[in-house]
Amino acid sequence: MTRCGFVAIVGRPNVGKSTLMNRILGQKISITSRRPQTTRHQVTGIKTEGEAQTIYVDTPGIHIQTRDRNKAINRFMNQAATQALRDVNAVVFLVDRTRWTEEDEVVLQRLEHVKAPVILAVNKVDRLQDKASLLPWLESIGARREFAAIVPISAKHGTNVTELEAEVARHLPESVHYFPEEQITDKSQRFLAAELVREKVMRQLGDELPYQMTVEIEEFRDEGRVIHISALMLVERQGQKKILIGENGERIKSIGREARLDMERALDAKVMLNLWVKVKRGWSDDERALKSLGYDLD
């Protein structure tokens, strides 16, 4: 009897959703950084073990749209996360230890009308100084709604992640598998290449460069043993372009070097990577521009 189902991983920004999915899959599919809102798209990760195939959907962090976070791209991220809750067989709601924020409350409200069972996963418990404080907090949060299960975990170190997967598996329906056993994502190699470049920018320049930066793959040519990739980094102002290039081009070289190494590991081939920077004013608040850059819920 084969089983297969969709599971949405939701939570506020920077709570560890992408780290959790990468841990479950055993390799990097979703990019990560210390900056909130690193994930901008729904990213699908597929895990097949024996008779069961679980299709995880990593989502952008659901966030409050304040004056400085009310651009088209912010609306897109919230819509992408909410859309992922439709027609799933289970939801993993990820929160951070004993910290409950206003944005956690927003996520909880979004889950009110979800018919699928919701599993509460409490992340980063390895960082908890006072372990005794966890139980009363779990009881208080458990009173907010009926959860199918509450599982304390550490996505980074793998603590209790197997137990979380076992809880998820209980809610998978009988079904044929939707994907081949060896497939781990439905995203293209072009998409993964663009995300790896953006990850390096977020990690190296997260404090200096605002969120108005995205990456577009202009060339992806696979010649067998060598893949040629040209990536265009779009920013909104000339000053941001200077930051990305760095003094004597050192920053863009560093970003390219780190991205290329990750690409070679992910694509299992030698990569020749060329990076460019271009100013495209207002792209992050222009819905037509967003669609042309791949920010499309369809």
Side-chain angles (χ1 to χ4, degrees):
M1 179 186 71
T2 58
R3 290 175 294 133
C4 184
F6 287 84
V7 179
I9 304 175
V10 300
R12 62 174 169 79
N14 212 29
V15 77
K17 298 180 295 296
S18 298
T19 301
L20 175 60
M21 190 166 82
N22 291 340
R23 168 65 65 177
I24 288 170
L25 298 177
Q27 59 184 287
K28 180 185 286 190
I29 296 298
S30 284
I31 64 169
T32 61
S33 82
R34 294 180 181 275
R35 300 288 291 175
Q37 298 169 19
T38 299
T39 300
R40 291 179 177 172
H41 303 263
Q42 293 179 13
V43 180
T44 304
I46 305 151
K47 184 166 185 177
T48 307
E49 278 194 331
E51 300 292 294
Q53 183 174 85
T54 312
I55 304 159
Y56 291 93
V57 184
D58 183 21
T59 62
I62 296 173
H63 56 282
I64 299 167
Q65 289 180 209
T66 56
R67 182 183 296 178
D68 61 334
R69 291 198 300 184
N70 195 32
K71 294 193 173 187
I73 192 167
N74 296 101
R75 295 192 292 275
F76 167 84
M77 288 189 286
N78 273 344
Q79 289 166 8
T82 302
Q83 187 190 65
L85 294 170
R86 299 175 190 165
D87 304 321
V88 293
N89 302 103
V91 176
V92 174
F93 175 22
L94 197 63
V95 298
D96 183 353
R97 292 166 288 175
T98 55
R99 288 183 60 228
W100 184 266
T101 70
E102 194 178 354
E103 287 182 323
D104 290 311
E105 194 65 42
V106 170
V107 181
L108 190 64
Q109 289 169 8
R110 297 278 175 99
L111 295 173
E112 281 181 6
H113 305 294
V114 173
K115 295 178 181 177
V118 177
I119 299 165
L120 181 70
V122 183
N123 195 22
K124 306 178 186 177
V125 293
D126 53 305
R127 295 192 197 170
L128 208 56
Q129 300 295 323
D130 180 14
K131 305 291 185 187
S133 66
L134 184 60
L135 186 58
W137 188 79
L138 292 180
E139 289 174 350
S140 70
I141 197 173
R144 291 174 180 266
R145 71 160 287 156
E146 188 174 337
F147 293 103
I150 299 177
V151 187
I153 68 165
S154 168
K156 183 176 181 180
H157 298 292
T159 308
N160 282 350
V161 170
T162 302
E163 287 78 357
L164 176 62
E165 290 183 76
E167 288 293 341
V168 166
R170 291 175 51 215
H171 304 288
L172 298 181
E174 289 185 37
S175 169
V176 296
H177 292 177
Y178 299 145
F179 295 94
E181 185 176 344
E182 67 280 0
Q183 188 170 347
I184 59 166
T185 186
D186 65 345
K187 291 298 185 185
S188 68
Q189 292 181 328
R190 291 178 73 103
F191 174 85
L192 292 175
E195 288 288 271
L196 287 172
V197 173
R198 195 166 62 81
E199 177 187 68
K200 303 315 170 192
V201 175
M202 297 285 282
R203 288 188 172 190
Q204 292 195 29
L205 293 169
D207 293 327
E208 298 175 60
L209 197 68
Y211 289 107
Q212 293 94 333
M213 190 282 303
T214 195
V215 179
E216 183 178 19
I217 301 298
E218 293 197 311
E219 179 191 38
F220 190 103
R221 193 171 78 253
D222 190 344
E223 296 182 347
R225 296 179 65 181
V226 181
I227 300 174
H228 296 265
I229 300 172
S230 293
L232 179 64
M233 296 183 285
L234 289 174
V235 292
E236 297 199 330
R237 294 195 295 275
Q238 193 66 33
Q240 295 168 352
K241 179 177 180 178
K242 288 180 180 177
I243 292 171
L244 259 180
I245 293 172
E247 192 173 348
N248 299 320
E250 288 303 314
R251 180 59 69 186
I252 196 170
K253 287 178 189 173
S254 175
I255 290 166
R257 184 167 53 248
E258 289 190 10
R260 178 180 57 78
L261 291 172
D262 264 13
M263 287 177 191
E264 289 180 341
R265 281 190 285 267
L267 303 176
D268 195 25
K270 184 174 176 59
V271 171
M272 301 294 288
L273 175 64
N274 288 310
L275 295 181
W276 313 91
V277 186
K278 180 181 177 181
V279 176
K280 185 179 177 71
R281 298 187 184 280
W283 72 265
S284 65
D285 203 22
D286 182 336
E287 292 187 3
R288 288 181 63 186
L290 285 171
K291 284 192 175 183
S292 73
L293 291 166
Y295 293 90
D296 192 342
L297 291 173
D298 295 335

